Amino acid sequence: MTRVLYDLCGLDERLRFSPYCWRVRYALAHKGLDVEARPWRFTDKAALAFADHDKVPVLVDGDEVVTDSYAILRYLDRTYPEAPLLGDGQAEVRGRFFKHYAERALAPAMMRTIIMDLFNAIHPDDRAYFRESREKRFGRSLEEFHSPAKGLAQLDAALAPLRGHLEDADFLDGAAPAGADYLVFGFFMWARCVSSADLISNADPVHAWRERMLDCHGSLGREALRVTDIEGAYR
Amino acid sequence: MTRVLYDLCGLDERLRFSPYCWRVRYALAHKGLDVEARPWRFTDKAALAFADHDKVPVLVDGDEVVTDSYAILRYLDRTYPEAPLLGDGQAEVRGRFFKHYAERALAPAMMRTIIMDLFNAIHPDDRAYFRESREKRFGRSLEEFHSPAKGLAQLDAALAPLRGHLEDADFLDGAAPAGADYLVFGFFMWARCVSSADLISNADPVHAWRERMLDCHGSLGREALRVTDIEGAYR
């Protein structure tokens, strides 16, 4: 059986930076499941028509087609119950808060910091689409939205609860990483792959957690190609 | 058996506003446990000497003395396992994040908004202590720290993950309130009891959740005395 993940790529096919796809890559590694991470670009909507969807991640697992990163984590728990990612009941409901925290508190702060790096990392053929859709969402140009000073201050505030949490345990899910860690860490992979911006001081407990996350599952994150590894791509 | 909770009071003995004590009041109600909530003031350190502690909440449950709101919730789960507050394993670890989120993201934003109302609600004999300890913590005077404009903007940003979470379910813990709800809601009781500040628009999903929380457990929160109920106390 072939398991395929449609995975956003940038100006180089090996450059993979979608935070939502990284959640799934880590979730699959957590379950010990192999996957072919097939490169996909923003404008290649036709390639996802079979899934009746227009965004990645899309997971094709045998006959099953699953879209949306959180739904994919839930699907993996149902189908491969060993090593739960999110679990059930109260654990799952609480786990979902990490999704909202990552998407609504961390991601906007990171986005303000790295948006021009992100734009630069995208495939040239996707840039017009990216600019148009994001400028519509932000209500201003990418250049106006871009503000590392504001973004980093916002991120510093947004990380406060995470710092408290990591004073108690090595991972968001306790002694070992699981769903809550992957839901949040996807955004750190996103920033790491497209930018060399220094988001967190190395004295921050979040920094140490990020290092542990880069190392886990056979250094999955640390081995990922970054735009800074591509000659001439990083301005 | 008498169960006693040492509970912070303000200029009126019936005015109870500690966010940490409210967590415990709700947790006890959740378990269906009666309690005598005994009034205590900031400077009455001698009354807590028996507990080898200088802050409330302090719960005396028969022979057991437990301090710290989170530790009290854990104690209640161990001693009265019916109707779990935090639960165990992954549920508990994730539940703890709501504690940090409330204390480090919401509380500082609320504090900036209500600090002068809070100061006014405190017993006159406690005010010098409160001013000195808080000015030391903030590194500036209460008056300089006080900024409803900044506090409300900060709160609006900090509430974003909660809004996302409440789009999926009525309570933070799903269909019914439990530990995660109480960990966060304590701070809304704090603000409500000492201030009439309008922290959240009534179009906000957080507003509807707060109303549900005020109503649950026999309108425990809604029936609590507010400073605005005390004649002449609210400026």
Side-chain angles (χ1 to χ4, degrees):
Chain A
M1 190 183 78
T2 315
R3 188 177 295 114
V4 176
L5 176 70
Y6 286 82
D7 188 17
L8 184 66
C9 71
L11 49 78
D12 183 304
E13 265 203 0
R14 297 165 303 159
L15 184 66
R16 309 297 174 92
F17 56 87
S18 159
Y20 305 99
C21 293
W22 274 113
R23 287 174 169 175
V24 176
R25 298 277 300 274
Y26 267 79
L28 288 162
H30 178 96
K31 296 276 187 189
L33 299 172
D34 287 330
V35 71
E36 178 205 332
R38 191 171 290 176
W40 175 87
R41 292 201 283 100
F42 281 114
T43 48
D44 195 10
K45 305 294 186 195
L48 302 182
F50 76 94
D52 197 20
H53 203 63
D54 66 349
K55 285 190 208 66
V56 292
V58 172
L59 180 71
V60 182
D61 189 31
D63 293 336
E64 297 291 328
V65 176
V66 197
T67 63
D68 178 85
S69 64
Y70 197 80
I72 293 172
L73 267 60
R74 294 282 280 154
Y75 162 81
L76 292 174
D77 269 349
R78 278 196 310 277
T79 312
Y80 309 97
E82 287 274 305
L85 292 159
L86 295 164
D88 287 306
Q90 222 162 32
E92 186 274 324
V93 172
R94 291 175 184 170
R96 208 186 304 151
F97 189 62
F98 291 87
K99 163 189 156 68
H100 298 298
Y101 169 70
E103 295 174 10
R104 301 196 186 206
L106 302 185
M110 291 184 180
M111 183 68 104
R112 277 203 103 158
T113 311
I114 62 162
I115 182 91
M116 295 315 299
D117 287 342
L118 176 59
F119 185 66
N120 177 61
I122 285 169
H123 192 280
D125 294 349
D126 280 355
R127 287 182 192 162
Y129 163 83
F130 181 86
R131 178 181 285 279
E132 191 190 337
S133 58
R134 270 49 178 182
E135 292 189 345
K136 195 172 165 192
R137 189 191 297 170
F138 305 144
R140 59 192 126 168
S141 73
L142 300 185
E143 288 77 4
E144 283 164 332
F145 179 77
H146 179 67
S147 172
K150 285 184 190 148
L152 288 171
Q154 201 179 326
L155 184 63
D156 185 54
L159 288 174
L162 215 56
R163 285 185 195 114
H165 202 67
L166 290 167
E167 282 164 15
D168 298 332
D170 276 357
F171 293 96
L172 305 189
D173 267 331
D181 294 272
Y182 309 139
L183 289 170
V184 175
F185 186 66
F187 288 90
F188 285 91
M189 282 304 295
W190 174 57
R192 174 182 168 86
C193 290
V194 303
S195 174
S196 67
D198 206 5
L199 296 183
I200 323 168
S201 129
N202 59 13
D204 193 317
V206 177
H207 188 280
W209 167 75
R210 192 180 56 178
E211 292 298 305
R212 290 189 287 274
M213 290 301 294
L214 287 168
D215 287 336
C216 74
H217 304 314
S219 299
L220 176 63
R222 202 177 290 286
E223 289 184 358
L225 188 83
R226 303 177 67 184
V227 69
T228 47
D229 298 325
I230 304 171
E231 208 175 329
Y234 197 69
R235 298 166 306 177
Chain B
M1 188 182 81
T2 314
R3 188 177 294 114
V4 176
L5 176 69
Y6 287 83
D7 188 18
L8 184 66
C9 71
L11 49 79
D12 184 304
E13 265 203 359
R14 297 165 303 160
L15 185 65
R16 309 296 175 92
F17 56 88
S18 159
Y20 305 99
C21 293
W22 275 112
R23 286 174 169 176
V24 176
R25 297 278 299 274
Y26 267 78
L28 288 162
H30 178 96
K31 297 275 187 191
L33 298 172
D34 288 331
V35 72
E36 178 204 332
R38 191 171 290 176
W40 175 88
R41 292 201 283 100
F42 282 115
T43 48
D44 195 9
K45 306 293 187 196
L48 302 182
F50 77 94
D52 197 21
H53 203 64
D54 66 349
K55 284 188 209 67
V56 292
V58 171
L59 180 71
V60 182
D61 189 32
D63 294 335
E64 296 291 329
V65 175
V66 197
T67 63
D68 177 84
S69 63
Y70 197 82
I72 293 172
L73 267 60
R74 293 282 281 155
Y75 162 81
L76 292 174
D77 269 348
R78 278 197 309 276
T79 312
Y80 309 96
E82 287 274 304
L85 291 159
L86 294 164
D88 288 305
Q90 222 162 32
E92 187 274 324
V93 172
R94 291 176 185 169
R96 207 186 304 153
F97 189 62
F98 291 86
K99 163 188 157 66
H100 298 299
Y101 168 71
E103 295 174 11
R104 302 195 185 206
L106 302 186
M110 290 184 181
M111 184 67 105
R112 278 205 101 159
T113 310
I114 63 161
I115 183 91
M116 294 315 299
D117 287 342
L118 176 59
F119 185 66
N120 177 61
I122 286 169
H123 193 280
D125 293 351
D126 280 354
R127 288 184 192 160
Y129 163 82
F130 181 86
R131 178 181 284 281
E132 191 190 339
S133 59
R134 270 49 179 183
E135 292 189 344
K136 194 171 164 192
R137 189 191 297 169
F138 305 144
R140 61 192 127 167
S141 73
L142 300 186
E143 289 77 3
E144 284 166 329
F145 179 76
H146 179 66
S147 173
K150 284 184 190 147
L152 288 171
Q154 202 179 325
L155 184 62
D156 185 53
L159 288 173
L162 214 56
R163 285 186 196 113
H165 202 65
L166 290 167
E167 283 163 16
D168 297 333
D170 276 357
F171 294 96
L172 305 189
D173 267 331
D181 294 273
Y182 309 139
L183 289 170
V184 175
F185 186 64
F187 288 90
F188 286 91
M189 282 304 295
W190 174 58
R192 175 184 168 87
C193 290
V194 303
S195 173
S196 67
D198 206 6
L199 296 182
I200 323 169
S201 131
N202 59 13
D204 193 316
V206 178
H207 188 279
W209 167 76
R210 191 179 58 179
E211 292 298 305
R212 288 189 288 273
M213 291 301 294
L214 287 169
D215 287 336
C216 73
H217 304 312
S219 298
L220 177 63
R222 202 178 290 285
E223 289 183 358
L225 189 84
R226 303 177 67 182
V227 69
T228 47
D229 299 325
I230 304 169
E231 209 175 329
Y234 196 69
R235 300 164 305 176

